[in-house]
Amino acid sequence: MRHLMSPLDFSVDELDKLLDLANDIEKYPQKYAHACEGKKLATCFYEPSTRTRLSFEAAMLNLGGSVLGFASADSSSAAKGESVSDTIRIISCYADICAMRHPKEGAPLVASQKSRIPVINAGDGGHQHPTQTLTDLLTIRSLKGRLGNLTIGLCGDLKFGRTVHSLISALIRYPGIRFVLISPEELRIPSYIREDVLAANNIPFTEVERLEDAMPDLDVLYMTRVQKERFFNEEDYVRLKNFYILTKAKMDLAKDDMLVLHPLPRVNEISVEVDDDPRAAYFRQAQYGVYVRMALILTLLDIRVD
């Protein structure tokens, strides 16, 4: 039995097979419409979510399975003090696979150690968000035709952004990857990512504060919101929340085939005027999230469709 805690849980070869399966699901959805009949997915979300929770549920329903779960900690026995370990033992009696989001780093890992069913980390604090990373990889590969030889700009909250941390860890395994890290001083990438991931693997990267300075060189721009829920100080959040706003004028500085991605939700960091630009791929990215989660469910349940 396998779990997914980090994008590094899959080798590059396994990732490529997973993305191939997701592309096949996109092309031939009817072929997979009954693959999970009789199977149940539990969505255990201790933190709010729209895309991740609903895309997991859509993925299982598209596969012919069913869904149960909770959408917040106060609608579960966590409100009464039940531990994650006990919750997953109970969920293992009711479901075949579980997607868990939790504000505490490592909580899904603890669950996986006590679980009798596969557990998928659907986001744990500021740590990892592996299924968003799988979504990002599928989007980039599908729209750019490759995952290597790319200059990736990561903009916004690089300190607390678990999507950014996961994506960096996954992309460094492909050749010719270069990062441009765009953030204010207060939201720079954590030192453990800078030293233990980027520098330790000889991955070229630059750190800049102005988005305009980075735009001309980028193949992919990955925007993130400044996350109010990660701040201890309201004043710091208010000061930084509108630090970056992607506008049409800034898009004019970019390559004609640059992709704009965003894990969503957005607040102010991408102007709605950018939505009609053919390079804006964040809503297509959300659709790819369903295909990749369908592929992941099939892979972890070891279900093959001929």
Side-chain angles (χ1 to χ4, degrees), residues 3-287:
H3 309 282
L4 179 70
M5 296 296 114
S6 155
L8 302 185
D9 290 348
F10 287 122
S11 68
V12 170
D13 185 52
E14 288 173 326
L15 267 180
D16 288 341
K17 287 178 181 171
L18 184 80
L19 300 183
D20 287 343
L21 177 57
N23 282 141
D24 198 61
I25 290 168
E26 178 188 8
K27 286 180 189 170
Y28 308 107
Q30 281 307 311
K31 181 172 150 188
Y32 297 89
H34 304 287
C36 283
E37 274 185 357
K39 301 290 185 183
K40 301 183 194 71
L41 166 73
T43 51
C44 300
F45 276 62
Y46 294 80
E47 232 184 9
S49 169
T50 300
R51 268 148 304 280
T52 305
R53 184 172 64 86
L54 293 184
S55 66
F56 263 115
E57 294 182 359
M60 192 53 153
L61 294 172
N62 288 350
L63 292 167
S66 52
V67 178
L68 63 157
F70 52 85
S72 66
D74 30 347
S75 63
S76 77
S77 287
K80 303 174 185 175
E82 183 174 66
S83 68
V84 165
S85 295
D86 282 1
T87 297
I88 197 63
R89 285 185 172 105
I90 298 302
I91 296 296
S92 294
C93 301
Y94 304 151
D96 300 285
I97 187 167
C98 173
M100 177 178 287
R101 169 168 291 186
H102 202 285
K104 290 186 180 175
E105 297 181 5
L109 177 61
V110 170
S112 72
Q113 293 165 345
K114 303 296 183 183
S115 179
R116 292 187 289 109
I117 59 175
V119 176
I120 300 167
N121 177 5
D124 60 334
H127 186 223
Q128 294 275 5
H129 195 349
T131 63
Q132 181 63 53
T133 299
L134 298 180
T135 298
D136 300 338
L137 295 178
L138 179 63
T139 306
I140 295 169
R141 196 183 80 158
S142 298
L143 299 180
K144 296 295 286 184
R146 65 190 190 280
L147 283 171
N149 302 307
L150 293 167
T151 298
I152 313 282
L154 302 165
C155 180
D157 180 1
L158 309 189
K159 181 177 182 180
F160 300 111
R162 58 191 172 200
T163 58
V164 167
H165 304 165
S166 287
L167 185 57
I168 289 174
S169 297
L171 278 173
I172 63 167
R173 299 191 289 175
Y174 293 89
I177 290 292
R178 174 176 172 265
F179 292 105
V180 181
L181 307 175
I182 309 153
S183 70
E185 179 70 28
E186 297 92 334
L187 295 175
R188 289 176 70 197
I189 204 85
S191 58
Y192 79 90
I193 299 282
R194 187 184 299 107
E195 304 302 327
D196 300 344
V197 179
L198 294 169
N201 290 282
N202 297 311
I203 305 299
F205 70 95
T206 55
E207 294 184 89
V208 301
E209 191 165 289
R210 278 171 40 89
L211 177 56
E212 294 89 334
D213 295 340
M215 290 293 281
D217 299 325
L218 303 180
D219 298 305
V220 176
L221 173 61
Y222 195 93
M223 294 294 295
T224 66
R225 72 186 168 95
V226 175
Q227 302 174 87
K228 185 176 183 180
E229 64 269 29
R230 307 288 175 218
F231 278 79
F232 297 108
N233 185 322
E234 177 88 13
E235 290 177 9
D236 286 343
Y237 168 72
V238 170
R239 182 167 49 85
L240 294 169
K241 68 176 181 175
N242 293 325
F243 202 92
Y244 297 109
I245 300 176
L246 183 63
T247 61
K248 265 188 171 178
K250 289 173 186 166
M251 289 295 289
D252 289 341
L253 303 171
K255 295 177 182 177
D256 290 342
D257 63 347
M258 184 194 76
L259 291 181
V260 181
L261 302 184
H262 192 308
L264 302 176
R266 71 167 160 192
V267 184
N268 300 316
E269 60 278 358
I270 300 178
S271 170
V272 293
E273 68 182 12
V274 175
D275 293 353
D276 294 330
D277 191 303
R279 296 168 291 181
Y282 29 90
F283 293 119
R284 282 177 284 171
Q285 183 182 358
Q287 179 64 61

